[in-house]
Amino acid sequence: MTTPAGLRERKKQATREALREAALRLAEERGLDQVRVEDIAEAAGVSPRTYNNYFASREQAIVSAVTADREARIAAAVAARPAGVRLADAVTQAVVEQYTNTGEREQKALLLITTRTALRDAFLDTTAGIERPLAAVIAERLDDAGAHTARVLAASVAGAVRIALESWLRPAGSTDAAESSAAGGLVVPSGSLADQLRRALAPLAPAFDAAEQHTRP
């Protein structure tokens, strides 16, 4: 039997999904400049005030339609790896899979995201969400009672993923991430995202290995 609290959570989740789907649909149909928070709220059947309880901006809602639940999926993928798999490899595989296994809908949305600086910035900001669920899984794997090591490792992964995405989203001809952030208009992704992610995560492998060795009897 579903409890009242459970029903409230389901209603909140349904509202969040309706808002992010409406935001993406309107942005694709009209273009970002022609979409207001009020438009998204109306399309989702809620008030602008309710909208603000879920998202801080239209860009955040649009990006959420692409990245929703990705952090939880990464953590679940790591947890699903056999215990014998090296933790560094498990994390890298999970991150690469969840960021590169995209369907036609996600590819279309990513094309929209690469056209505007504000959308790219919101997309990059989502990497911070990796930290909490991933830290919990790493702590369980390492039997890290205080979760200190797990939190450090998870935060490092989140930072590495952001660096990889910044490099991938660097405009053609630019030389650094700052120039990418300042650029407006269409950005052509640079190289393979999977390769960018593996390259950014590779320096963390010794830390993961040391943490695993420390927990072995």
Side-chain angles (χ1 to χ4, degrees), residues 101-112:
N101 289 348
T102 55
E104 182 178 349
R105 176 180 177 277
E106 288 80 8
Q107 291 288 349
K108 185 177 179 181
L110 282 171
L111 179 61
L112 172 66

Side-chain angles (χ1 to χ4, degrees), residues 136-215:
V137 171
I138 294 174
E140 184 175 352
R141 178 79 173 258
L142 298 179
D143 194 22
D144 182 11
H148 178 75
T149 299
R151 288 182 62 191
V152 170
L153 291 171
S156 299
V157 170
V161 171
R162 183 183 179 102
I163 289 170
L165 292 176
E166 285 177 345
S167 297
W168 186 61
L169 291 173
R170 183 180 300 156
S174 71
T175 57
D176 56 37
E179 184 176 342
S180 173
S181 179
L186 178 66
V187 168
V188 179
S190 174
S192 164
L193 176 55
D195 289 344
Q196 296 276 13
L197 289 166
R198 292 190 184 98
R199 189 177 302 118
L201 291 167
L204 303 182
F208 275 104
D209 290 344
E212 282 195 294
Q213 290 173 4
H214 182 72
T215 60

Side-chain angles (χ1 to χ4, degrees), residues 32 59 62-63 112-113 115-124:
L32 182 64
E59 289 82 8
I62 291 166
V63 167
L112 172 66
I113 288 169
T115 65
R116 300 299 294 266
T117 300
L119 286 172
R120 295 196 297 271
D121 289 345
F123 181 66
L124 291 171

Side-chain angles (χ1 to χ4, degrees), residues 48-71:
R49 181 176 180 180
T50 296
Y51 177 97
N52 292 328
N53 290 334
Y54 290 86
F55 298 107
S57 66
R58 60 183 179 175
E59 289 82 8
Q60 190 181 80
I62 291 166
V63 167
S64 178
V66 181
T67 63
D69 306 321
R70 177 179 284 164
E71 302 89 350

Side-chain angles (χ1 to χ4, degrees), residues 14-27 30 34-55 57-58 61-62:
T15 300
R16 182 176 287 105
E17 291 175 1
L19 286 169
R20 66 196 184 204
E21 293 301 321
L24 178 59
R25 176 174 57 80
L26 291 175
R30 305 179 183 179
Q34 304 305 316
V35 178
R36 304 174 304 160
V37 165
E38 291 80 4
D39 299 327
I40 300 171
E42 181 179 1
V46 301
S47 68
R49 181 176 180 180
T50 296
Y51 177 97
N52 292 328
N53 290 334
Y54 290 86
F55 298 107
S57 66
R58 60 183 179 175
I62 291 166

